[in-house]
Amino acid sequence: MGDLVRLESYRQAAIAHGRPVRPVLRRDIHLAATDAEARAHIDPILADGYRGLDHDRLLVGSPDTVITRLRRYESMGFEHV
C-alpha cells in the first residue's frame, strides 16, 4: 500500500470518527555529506535486517536529497515529521 493510499485511508477514518486530520510522517533519517556516503553507512545495517525496513521506508542521503523527499511528503499532505 502506497503512502498516498495510507494517507487517504487515515483521512477518511479520522473524518468518520469526528477526529481532526493531522497527518504525521514517521521515518528514520540518516544524513551524510553525499548520497553514496549515506548509503554506504546504511546498506550493511539494512542487510542485517534493521527493523524489517528497506530504503523506501527511510530518509537516507545528503541534506538536499532528504529535503527533496520531505518536500514530496509535504506536497502529499503530511504536516508533521
Side-chain angles (χ1 to χ4, degrees), residues 3 6 25-31 35 38-62 65-70 72-73 81:
D3 292 320
R6 282 193 283 282
L25 177 68
R26 185 174 172 164
R27 292 285 185 270
D28 289 1
I29 298 172
H30 181 76
L31 291 174
D35 291 345
R39 288 191 72 111
H41 290 157
I42 294 302
D43 286 345
I45 296 167
L46 292 180
D48 284 341
Y50 175 72
R51 297 177 57 192
L53 299 176
D54 59 26
H55 279 283
D56 292 338
R57 309 302 298 164
L58 304 171
L59 294 171
V60 175
S62 68
T65 296
V66 171
I67 288 168
T68 297
R69 288 198 56 207
L70 286 169
R72 185 176 60 97
Y73 284 115
V81 178

